[in-house]
Amino acid sequence: MEKPIIATIEKSVDEAEEIRTIFIQHTIQAKPGQFVMVWVPRLNEKPFAISYLEKDVLGITVAAVGECSRCLYEMKPGEKIGIRGPYGEPYHLQENQEKGCTMIMVGGGYGSASLTLLAEEALAKGMHVKFILGAREKKRLVYVERIKKLIGEENLLITTDDGSAGRKGFVTDALRTLIEQGEKIGKVYTCGPDKMMKAVAELCTAHNIQGEISMERWMKCGFGLCGHCCVDPLGFRVCVEGPVVSFETALQVKELGTYHRMQSSRKEKL
Amino acid sequence: MVDLPIDISVDLCGLKMKNPTMLASGLVGISGAACVFAAQHGAGAIVPKSIGPREREGHKNPILVEFQGGFLNAVGLPNAGVDQSLIELEFAMKHCADKGVPVILSLFGGTKEEFGEVVNKLSTLNPAMLEVNLSCPNTASDFGRAFALDAQHAADVIRIVNQNTMAKVSAKLAPNVPDIKEIARAVVEAGADAITATNTMPGMVIDVATGKPVLQNKEGGISGYAMKPIAVRCIYDLYKTVKVPIIGSGGVTTGNDAIEMIMAGATAVQIGTGIYYRGIEVFKKVTEEMIAFMKKEGYASLHEIRGLAHRE
């Protein structure tokens, strides 16, 4: 039944400046890359990537950027919200990978939420994982300790635009270095700002490396009926056929990194 | 037994449809590419989302919620406004035409004059057919009572639309009226070439855990399974009342549902919520199921079925 299930907030944990993860008492069968719709009664309902998934607790990471996300950001333990989902196409881990291959996660800002969950799944399957984590500046980096604990400090590469942490530059600079150093790459997964994901997909495609991106578009229903998240020119629904799509598909989406649709459906440049 | 070819094509006011399924207005058809996406999945015609005179955000989320038997929606007519939308509609018309799929442009206005303004602008695209949304149930707070609830107002809008276009015009009516036949007679007299029956039915879903209506607009329109018998009754009554083609809309999910509407008198059927129940391939599935039914029952064309329920 496509109807919010009311759940209680257990706790919220600061991740970075104006970014928090809220943990919700809610049991859900979901795969990394899928999302949930989170309802703040009588205010709004928005899609969120699942960033933590335990037996009966679900974590979503919220940046206080709009009216609804700020309200969620400020919610206290015991308060109630509605959850629908999970929805969408998850990431596809490469099965039967060649020995010695590395799965590379390339996350920008809190877009790393779904990738952290994917890294956990990859490790559980015995895969080798490296994580390139980027942000504009140090205070916007999320999940650093969590990822270090998961894959070891030596497998986490941090980049910041201003050089306040890790390597100064973009995630694509770190990825290019890995490729040039001859890293045996199985598949690359990326989630973050449009332009960053497009650059990652282009770089990998130029080197014949396969991978997937997780797209973000304005969503209303989340289950493929309203059509609001259909992208140009292929017309597919990001909430059903996505949000995770292959690099090949992503590079055919001409609006990726260029424009997106607002609440009315009007296009706005990125 | 000879396996006769089954003719499932439709001539709707001169529009040639390969099959009688149409994407209903209000769902999926948000952009030109989205319309082509539905056409690729087998829709016989496409009705994009309704276009109004100016940009409208529509309602905030939640805009859709399910209940046992259907969905309730209050999307609230989001659109970029007619000027910004022309390029999207042109894309839809061009690329759907390449696939042999006609596009019927849906429009709305808050006043009679606004309908005229939108039609004028849409006419620059030379559409073959327009669907006039007289009956959105979710915008009363902005627009007041829907035009389709009053025969005189509905007819006035159709007259203005007709004065401003060469296209065929279908009037989309509301089911929640004392007598849909009276409204239909009035719009046909005013020049409607077809009737779309029907829009959704007003309803509400309240979440008992919080005690709050789920939809941000509180009330919405019922679609899906629950709408089908309501729509079938309206189509049945209209078939006896007016001579123009009827486009059935409300709860069509399977081939049998489509056949049922055609037996009531529909020329073609629209599908919206069925996309949730059966995926975007619903158009292809419904068409295949209709063909299978006709084969099994020995019908060669839809003419043999149309209005069958009226025969004694």
Side-chain angles (χ1 to χ4, degrees):
Chain A
M1 189 68 62
E2 303 293 356
K3 194 180 171 187
I5 296 170
I6 303 302
T8 306
I9 294 175
E10 189 179 78
K11 60 175 178 182
S12 64
V13 174
D14 286 336
E15 297 279 7
E17 193 179 60
E18 299 266 270
I19 300 175
R20 242 172 223 172
T21 296
I22 60 174
F23 291 89
I24 304 149
Q25 291 165 3
H26 187 66
T27 307
I28 196 172
Q29 296 284 328
K31 291 177 178 164
Q34 289 190 303
F35 65 96
V36 289
M37 296 295 292
V38 179
W39 180 42
V40 182
R42 304 314 309 150
L43 181 66
N44 212 327
E45 189 186 43
K46 294 279 175 188
F48 286 92
I50 300 164
S51 57
Y52 290 82
L53 192 58
E54 286 148 33
K55 204 173 128 256
D56 41 21
V57 175
L58 169 76
I60 56 163
T61 303
V62 179
V65 290
E67 186 189 25
C68 184
S69 55
R70 173 151 304 272
C71 182
L72 280 167
Y73 176 83
E74 284 167 359
M75 275 191 166
K76 302 279 176 288
E79 289 195 75
K80 290 183 192 310
I81 53 174
I83 305 282
R84 295 194 280 124
Y87 297 118
E89 189 63 25
Y91 293 108
H92 305 90
L93 276 177
Q94 193 186 37
E95 305 291 341
N96 311 317
Q97 57 161 325
E98 264 183 78
K99 255 199 146 57
C101 271
T102 305
M103 299 292 144
I104 313 247
M105 313 289 154
V106 185
Y110 59 99
S112 310
S114 60
L115 293 173
T116 315
L117 214 57
L118 180 67
E120 285 177 2
E121 189 189 317
L123 283 178
K125 289 188 171 171
M127 297 174 177
H128 184 234
V129 176
K130 277 193 175 163
F131 210 120
I132 302 172
L133 186 62
R136 255 183 285 168
E137 51 193 333
K138 188 181 178 184
K139 64 180 183 188
R140 289 173 186 268
L141 282 167
V142 290
Y143 313 128
V144 174
E145 291 312 312
R146 181 184 178 193
I147 298 168
K148 275 185 191 169
K149 226 160 105 186
L150 198 63
I151 59 175
E153 200 168 349
E154 68 282 8
N155 290 315
L156 171 62
L157 310 168
I158 289 172
T159 68
T160 49
D161 298 4
D162 65 353
S164 52
R167 173 177 174 168
K168 184 176 189 298
F170 299 128
V171 288
T172 37
D173 299 328
L175 180 60
R176 190 177 293 108
T177 303
L178 278 184
I179 295 169
E180 283 166 0
Q181 285 170 349
E183 179 89 34
K184 222 171 138 189
I185 296 172
K187 215 168 159 181
V188 174
Y189 302 89
T190 183
C191 185
D194 258 39
K195 286 184 174 159
M196 182 205 95
M197 293 194 292
K198 192 178 181 187
V200 169
E202 283 170 346
L203 175 63
C204 289
T205 303
H207 288 87
N208 256 323
I209 298 165
Q210 303 224 317
E212 294 177 336
I213 78 163
S214 177
M215 285 189 73
E216 187 176 10
R217 282 298 180 267
W218 195 297
M219 284 181 192
K220 291 188 175 177
C221 73
F223 46 76
L225 257 187
C226 77
H228 210 82
C229 61
C230 289
V231 286
D232 292 343
L234 304 180
F236 70 80
R237 300 160 294 179
V238 170
C239 71
V240 173
E241 283 76 35
V244 174
V245 297
S246 68
F247 286 163
E248 198 189 341
T249 301
L251 292 176
Q252 292 173 59
V253 177
K254 72 168 189 199
E255 67 174 77
L256 182 70
T258 315
Y259 63 85
H260 64 154
R261 286 177 196 277
M262 306 305 285
Q263 191 180 344
S264 70
S265 81
R266 174 174 51 84
K267 292 178 196 174
E268 190 175 88
K269 278 188 182 160
L270 285 168
Chain B
M1 208 176 96
V2 191
D3 216 11
L4 288 169
I6 301 218
D7 180 12
I8 201 150
S9 69
V10 168
D11 183 318
L12 174 70
C13 303
L15 262 75
K16 307 280 183 246
M17 292 168 60
K18 289 186 287 192
N19 69 67
T21 71
M22 261 185 214
L23 171 67
S25 183
L27 296 175
V28 180
I30 191 89
S31 63
C35 291
V36 178
F37 182 68
Q40 279 164 348
H41 287 88
I46 299 289
V47 194
K49 289 207 190 209
S50 299
I51 301 298
R54 273 166 292 284
E55 182 180 4
R56 251 184 88 83
E57 292 206 323
H59 300 308
K60 283 186 178 169
N61 285 354
I63 54 149
L64 261 161
V65 63
E66 192 178 11
F67 63 95
Q68 210 144 30
F71 276 82
L72 189 73
N73 86 76
V75 187
L77 300 171
N79 78 105
V82 64
D83 295 318
Q84 295 298 313
S85 300
L86 290 177
I87 191 165
E88 297 283 346
L89 297 173
E90 195 175 14
F91 181 95
M93 288 166 72
K94 179 180 182 294
H95 292 276
C96 289
D98 291 347
K99 299 177 187 353
V101 177
V103 176
I104 298 167
L105 304 184
S106 173
L107 66 132
F108 72 93
T111 62
K112 290 163 195 174
E113 293 68 32
E114 282 183 355
F115 275 95
E117 181 191 338
V118 178
V119 170
N120 248 316
K121 291 179 174 169
L122 291 180
S123 294
T124 59
L125 298 174
N126 289 319
M129 193 167 189
L130 302 173
E131 184 177 88
V132 186
N133 186 353
L134 298 165
S135 47
C136 180
N138 312 318
T139 48
S141 53
D142 294 348
F143 297 144
R145 210 160 160 254
F147 291 94
L149 301 185
D150 181 287
Q152 191 58 49
H153 289 154
D156 288 348
V157 171
I158 294 301
R159 217 167 277 122
I160 285 178
V161 168
N162 255 330
Q163 283 163 6
N164 285 283
T165 186
M166 301 294 287
K168 300 288 183 185
V169 172
S170 182
K172 188 166 181 180
L173 299 187
N176 51 316
V177 289
D179 185 4
I180 196 169
K181 302 190 289 296
E182 180 203 342
I183 316 279
R185 272 189 218 105
V187 292
V188 170
E189 202 170 292
D193 303 287
I195 303 243
T196 304
T198 66
N199 212 314
T200 55
M201 185 90 187
M204 185 182 280
V205 170
I206 295 169
D207 174 66
V208 295
T210 55
K212 312 257 188 239
V214 177
L215 295 186
Q216 187 60 19
N217 189 52
K218 298 182 182 169
E219 61 176 62
I222 294 169
S223 68
Y225 300 131
M227 270 309 293
K228 200 185 68 176
I230 297 172
V232 168
R233 195 276 297 185
C234 289
I235 295 161
Y236 186 89
D237 279 358
L238 293 175
Y239 188 74
K240 288 189 294 191
T241 310
V242 292
K243 296 282 168 249
V244 299
I246 301 157
I247 304 165
S249 184
V252 173
T253 306
T254 65
N256 276 7
D257 295 337
I259 296 279
E260 185 181 351
M261 276 196 177
I262 293 170
M263 285 180 171
T267 294
V269 299
Q270 299 187 339
I271 300 177
T273 310
I275 294 169
Y276 176 79
Y277 297 128
R278 305 201 62 199
I280 192 73
E281 306 79 10
V282 63
F283 305 99
K284 194 166 168 280
K285 289 177 182 169
V286 166
T287 302
E288 285 169 0
E289 287 160 3
M290 290 177 78
I291 292 170
F293 171 88
M294 290 167 72
K295 260 188 190 157
K296 184 166 156 271
E297 300 295 328
Y299 297 113
S301 85
L302 294 174
H303 297 290
E304 296 168 32
I305 295 172
R306 191 161 297 122
L308 193 67
H310 294 267
R311 292 176 213 159
E312 286 303 330

